[in-house]
Amino acid sequence: MSSIEERVKKIVAEQLGVKEEDVKPEASFVEDLGADSLDTVELVMALEEEFETEIPDEEAEKITTVQLAIDYIKENLG
Amino acid sequence: MTLTISLNDRVALVTGASRGIGSAVADMLGGLGATVIGTATSESGAEKISARFAEKGIKGSGAVLDVTSVESLSGVLEFAKKEFGAPVILVNNAGITKDNLLMRMKDEEWEAVIDTNLTAVYRLSKACLRDMTKARWGRIINISSVVGSMGNPGQSNYAASKAGVAGFARSLAAEVGSRGITVNTVAPGFIDTDMTKVLPEGQREALLSRIPLGRLGQPEEIASVVAFLASDAGGYVSGETIHVNGGMYMA
């Protein structure tokens, strides 16, 4: 079983079409990884599916970097 | 280049499919190979749709849907996904009229028409988009009305809802085009359905005199435009309102 970090990074790489090694914890989806607003919505959808959870819109808006995504999943599924 | 329209392996959701334009659209999409979920407001309406599909060899089924209810919508989508797969073609056809001169119009008449004709389009599109973006392919086709463009006395609520749908389609088309999803509006003129059968004879004659083709349209003549937009052949049309009205209104 991969760690939460690895699973999040894999999804980010897949969704945004970037290399996994570029998906650094501090990377911002929009500024560093080239995501547009629709990409970020789809990314949250993909995370919801991977971790079988529902992320409320007001929380989803705060998830702007790889680390914030990892933190959210850990806090809410830990 | 040849023109072939095939909707094999596509799942379509058509609202208001028990009669009129919706019925013709559902049957035509089904005839082109799509699996169709056709909705009606009543159990008996849904059963009739299922029976019609079975008779015509169309894959899919009827379903009861109240387009103004989120719960009802979730139920239908759950059923559709379980039985057939997520719809990637959505035809927002269900609509109502509650005509009145504005000075006599009741709030309920305004609200009911906006809710069923416009807000439901928002609701259904939102609910289906997730799976369309995942599929990187989708078609949202709204059936509006010529009245949304040219206006008609006694139909300010209806015209507002139909013009709203066209604006909605243009914005959504801009939002989701990058995911291979097109959003269009088909605006029928006067089509031979129950909705226009209630017109008084005098009004009917007056209308016909304004239609260059000199006749009402048939539901199938709307369905064929919807089928084109739903197919890969219509894949480069997006955000557009296509008027189908025998020349009565030329935009």
Side-chain angles (χ1 to χ4, degrees):
Chain A
M1 189 71 181
S2 337
S3 69
I4 286 177
E5 281 87 348
E6 284 164 6
R7 288 160 75 194
V8 168
K9 282 184 183 178
K10 185 160 180 286
I11 286 172
V12 171
E14 273 172 16
Q15 284 293 321
L16 303 183
V18 292
K19 290 188 204 120
E20 268 190 62
E21 58 262 33
D22 292 335
V23 185
K24 307 224 161 49
E26 68 280 8
S28 150
F29 301 131
V30 175
E31 324 240 306
D32 302 316
L33 301 175
D36 65 16
S37 54
L38 186 55
D39 289 324
T40 60
V41 172
E42 281 192 292
L43 178 59
V44 169
M45 275 165 37
L47 290 170
E48 287 178 332
E49 272 169 33
E50 170 73 18
F51 295 99
E52 292 174 359
T53 181
E54 276 196 33
I55 306 176
D57 287 345
E58 59 271 23
E59 294 297 325
E61 282 167 20
K62 295 182 206 153
I63 302 175
T64 53
T65 67
V66 178
Q67 189 61 51
L68 287 168
I70 293 168
D71 292 347
Y72 179 88
I73 301 292
K74 279 187 176 167
E75 270 167 44
N76 291 275
L77 295 172
Chain B
M1 192 174 173
T2 54
L3 175 65
T4 41
I5 292 186
S6 163
L7 300 175
N8 283 338
D9 305 322
R10 306 279 195 209
V11 178
L13 176 63
V14 182
T15 66
S18 63
R19 59 201 171 117
I21 292 171
S23 162
V25 168
D27 290 0
M28 193 169 288
L29 299 186
L32 291 167
T35 300
V36 186
I37 299 104
T39 77
T41 49
S42 69
E43 197 67 58
S44 65
E47 279 164 19
K48 267 186 216 152
I49 294 168
S50 293
R52 206 178 69 226
F53 285 0
E55 190 191 318
K56 298 190 172 187
I58 292 170
K59 298 186 290 283
S61 118
V64 179
L65 173 65
D66 170 4
V67 295
T68 67
S69 155
V70 177
E71 292 76 36
S72 174
L73 175 57
S74 315
V76 168
L77 282 178
E78 212 168 289
F79 160 78
K81 283 187 204 177
K82 200 171 109 224
E83 297 290 322
F84 310 110
V88 289
I89 300 169
L90 168 64
V91 182
N92 287 306
N93 167 74
I96 57 169
T97 55
K98 289 200 183 291
D99 299 353
N100 215 337
L101 293 173
L102 188 70
M103 283 189 286
R104 295 198 185 285
M105 189 170 289
K106 295 176 184 60
D107 287 357
E108 302 82 68
E109 291 169 336
W110 173 268
E111 281 157 13
V113 167
I114 297 294
D115 198 21
T116 299
N117 295 5
L118 178 58
T119 310
V121 171
Y122 148 80
R123 246 180 237 123
L124 272 108
S125 303
K126 193 173 167 185
C128 291
L129 264 178
R130 195 181 179 119
D131 288 297
M132 291 182 191
T133 58
K134 271 164 68 181
R136 290 291 188 268
W137 195 95
R139 298 282 189 263
I140 297 176
I141 302 157
N142 306 313
I143 308 299
S144 70
S145 166
V146 67
V147 168
S149 295
M150 65 185 283
N152 199 23
Q155 292 202 304
S156 57
N157 51 359
Y158 185 73
S161 72
K162 295 304 190 180
V165 157
F168 171 85
R170 287 190 284 271
S171 292
L172 185 57
E175 275 185 34
V176 297
S178 63
R179 302 310 191 259
I181 300 166
T182 67
V183 189
N184 289 291
T185 305
V186 176
F190 283 88
I191 307 300
D192 194 8
T193 66
D194 291 347
M195 206 185 251
T196 51
K197 278 197 181 81
V198 298
L199 291 172
E201 192 54 37
Q203 208 180 336
R204 205 178 169 88
E205 289 305 314
L207 271 172
L208 280 175
S209 72
R210 288 160 60 194
I211 302 173
L213 285 179
R215 62 178 178 84
L216 297 189
Q218 292 304 309
E220 292 72 24
E221 292 173 305
I222 302 302
S224 56
V225 176
V226 173
F228 167 72
L229 291 172
S231 71
D232 287 321
Y236 202 55
V237 183
S238 196
E240 190 54 73
T241 297
I242 300 189
H243 287 274
V244 188
N245 56 38
M248 174 179 146
Y249 173 85
M250 305 188 199

